[in-house]
Amino acid sequence: MSGTFLDSTELVLNMGPQHPSTHGVLRVIVKLDGEKVTGTECVIGYLHRGVEKIGENRTYAMFAPYVDRMDYVAAVSNGLGYCLAVEKLLNVEAPPRAQVVRVILTELNRIASHLLWLGTHALDIGAITPLFYCMREREATLNIFEKYCGARLTTHAFRIGGLQYETYEGFEQECLAFCDMFLPKCDEYEELLTGNRIWVQRLRNVGVLNAEDCKAYGVTGPLLRAAGVKWDLRKAQPYSGYDKYDFEIPTCENGDSFDRYIIRMREMRQSVRIIRQAVADIPAGPIMAKVPKVIKPPVGEVYVSIEAPKGELGYYIVSDGSTQPYRVRVRPPSFVNLQSLDKMARGSLVADLVAVIGTIDIVLGEVDR
Amino acid sequence: MRKLLRRILLVDFLEGLRVTFRHQHPKKIVTMQYPAERPKVAERYRGAPRLNINPENGQTLCIACDLCALACPEALIVVGWERNPETKRKDLINFTYDTSRCMFCGLCEDACPVDALELTQDFELASYSREGAIFDRQVLEEGIQPTRYKF
Ligand code: SF4
Ligand code: SF4
C-alpha cells in the first residue's frame, strides 16, 4: 500500500446488535479500511431460544406453535413445513380441501413476508414511503389470517393432518378482493422504486453473488433465483398440491441486490396468480385426515423441505417411536443465506453493507432459533 | 438526449412523488386512533381466556377434567378440583391461568371437551404487576376489565 496521508489503518468496528438496519439483533464485526469493508464476521445467538431443544421435550402436536416463532414474519410457512414433516412420518396426507386452503394461506404469507422485506429494505436504503404502503397492504393479509385462525403473526394455522378451523364465511371473496387490490399496488411500488435513480444506484452491482457462489454456500430462495438458477421447491419437488397450479419461477441474470428486488416483486405477482387459481377451486370435503389423538409415529426419520419466502426451509425429524420427537433439526433459509454475507460485502462500502444485509432478507428469530 | 432531459428535470423523482401525493387524501388514511377508536377484532381471535358459565344456572361449565392443562405446551394451567362425596364428580375449586407465559396458541381451547375454556376477543392484557398477569378463577369467569379512557 502506498503511503500517502490519505491512508488509514485498519479499523475493527461493531455493527449491531442494536443497529436498526440489522433487522433484529445481528452483530456484524466489520473490518474497515477507511470506508471500505475488508472483512465481516457475523455474531449470532442474541435471539437464541433453543427451539430445537424445546421440540425434544414436547409432544408432536405441542411443538407446532413453537415453529411459528422462528420465522415470525412467515409463520404460516413454518407451520406448513412442520406439519408436512410429521405427516410424512405418520404416513398420512392432508385431505384435498385442507391442502388447497394451506396453499392459499401460505401464498398470502409469502406476500406478507415479501412486503415486510420490501418496506424495511427500502427504509434501509433511504426510501421511507414504501414502508407505510407495504404495511398497509400487509395488514390486509394479516386480517385474513386473523379471521381464519384468530391470530395475526404467530398463527398456528395448521395442525398435523390438516386444519383445525374451517374457512370462515366470505374467505374466498376476501382473498380475491385482496388479489384485485394488490396487483395495482404492486405497480405502485414499482413506480416508486424501480425507476428511481437513487434506488437503482444503491442496489445495482451491490452484493453480487453468482450462481456458483450460491451453490457453494447453499444459498436458496430469491438470492439463488436472482443469480439465474431456476430452482424453486414448489416446482422441483411439489408438495401440498403445488403441481396443480400454473405459475412461473422468475429468474434474473446478475445476482445483485437490484435483481433480488425484481425477483421478489415478480414472486408476489406469481403468488397472486396461485391464490386466484386456488380460491377458484376449493374442493369440498373434510379438512382433517384420520390422525390418532395421541400422535406416536413409528421409528424413523424424515427430511421435508418447502419453499418458504426466504428459501428452502427444511425439517429433519427423528422419531424413536414415542410421543415426543427424538430430535428436531431445522434448516432455516435465513441462517444459511446469511453465511454469504462476507462474500457479498467484502470490498464494498459500509453503506452497501446495510443494503446487503437487507437484501438477504434475514429474520433473526430464524437465524438464532 | 431524452434521457438527459429526464435526469435534469428529475422525472423519476416526480413520478414517485405523484404516487405519494395520490395517497394524501384524507379518505385514504388507515391509521386507527386507538384507544379513542377501538379495533374490532375477528370472531375467532385468540385473546384473553375466559371460563364460561352456564347461563341457566350460573354454574361453571368446567368439569375439571384437566385436559386443557395436559394439552398446554407451556404447562401453565393448573386446575384445582375436589371429589364431591355425594355426586362422585369432580368439583372445580380453583383454576389458575398464567397469561404471562401463554402464547395464545389455542391448543387448550381445542382440547376442552365442553367448551368451557375459551380464548375471547379481549386483547388488552397488560397489567402493572406480574401477579396481575396470572388469572385466577374469578378473573377468568368475570373477564378482564381494561381501563376505558374517556375522550
Ligand atoms: S393458549 Fe396455548 S400456551 Fe396458552 S394456555 Fe392455551 S395451550 Fe397453553
Ligand atoms: S379442559 Fe375444559 S372442562 Fe377440562 S379442566 Fe380444562 S376448562 Fe375445565
Side-chain angles (χ1 to χ4, degrees), chain A residues 221-222 224-232 234 247-253 259 262-271:
Chain A
L224 183 66
R225 291 191 282 275
V229 185
K230 213 172 175 135
W231 179 256
D232 188 314
R234 287 176 292 174
F247 64 102
E248 278 153 29
I249 310 169
T251 51
C252 281
E253 241 82 273
D259 278 0
I262 296 289
I263 291 276
R264 289 191 175 108
M265 295 308 286
R266 288 201 205 145
E267 253 175 40
M268 287 199 270
R269 295 205 170 94
Q270 294 299 328
S271 292

Side-chain angles (χ1 to χ4, degrees), chain B residues 51 61-69 79 95 108 111-114 116-117:
Chain B
L51 259 188
L61 279 176
C62 176
I63 50 170
C65 64
D66 213 28
L67 282 180
C68 51
V79 184
F95 197 103
C108 51
C112 184
V114 290
L117 188 62

Side-chain angles (χ1 to χ4, degrees), chain A residues 58 61-62 65-66 69 129 133 136 146-151 154-156 159 164-168 185 188 191-192 195-198 201, chain B residues 6-8 10-13 15-16 18-20 22-23 28 30 40-42 44-46 70-74 103 105-107 109-110:
Chain A
R58 299 285 187 279
M62 275 184 187
Y66 290 90
R69 277 140 184 94
T129 320
Y133 297 167
R136 186 186 58 195
E146 182 184 324
K147 280 197 184 159
Y148 171 69
C149 65
T154 47
T155 45
H156 193 209
R159 300 293 194 276
Q164 171 72 26
Y165 310 102
E166 190 48 84
T167 54
Y168 60 90
K185 301 282 185 207
E188 214 161 67
E191 210 173 315
L192 273 173
N196 186 300
R197 77 180 72 153
I198 304 176
Q201 279 169 12
Chain B
R6 276 176 74 92
R7 280 186 83 95
I8 295 172
L10 302 173
V11 173
D12 48 344
F13 292 136
E15 269 173 8
R18 202 181 62 216
V19 177
T20 314
R22 258 211 314 265
H23 286 281
K28 292 199 168 174
V30 289
K40 202 176 169 300
V41 295
R44 295 178 184 173
Y45 190 80
R46 302 199 298 254
L70 289 173
C72 175
E74 286 291 325
M103 51 183 170
C105 61
L107 281 174
E109 187 185 30
D110 300 345

Side-chain angles (χ1 to χ4, degrees), chain A residues 26 42-45 48 52 70-71 217-220 223 310-314 329-342 344 360-369:
Chain A
L26 172 70
C42 293
V43 183
I44 58 168
H48 178 68
E52 290 179 3
M70 288 190 297
D71 182 359
Y217 280 100
V219 165
T220 48
L223 278 77
K310 296 173 179 67
E312 177 185 342
L313 170 73
R329 162 84 182 126
V330 187
R331 182 219 187 268
S334 302
F335 175 73
V336 180
N337 292 356
L338 183 63
Q339 310 312 314
S340 61
L341 175 71
D342 187 58
M344 286 198 257
I360 305 176
D361 190 12
I362 46 167
V363 163
L364 264 295
E366 190 180 44
V367 173
D368 296 344
R369 275 161 290 147

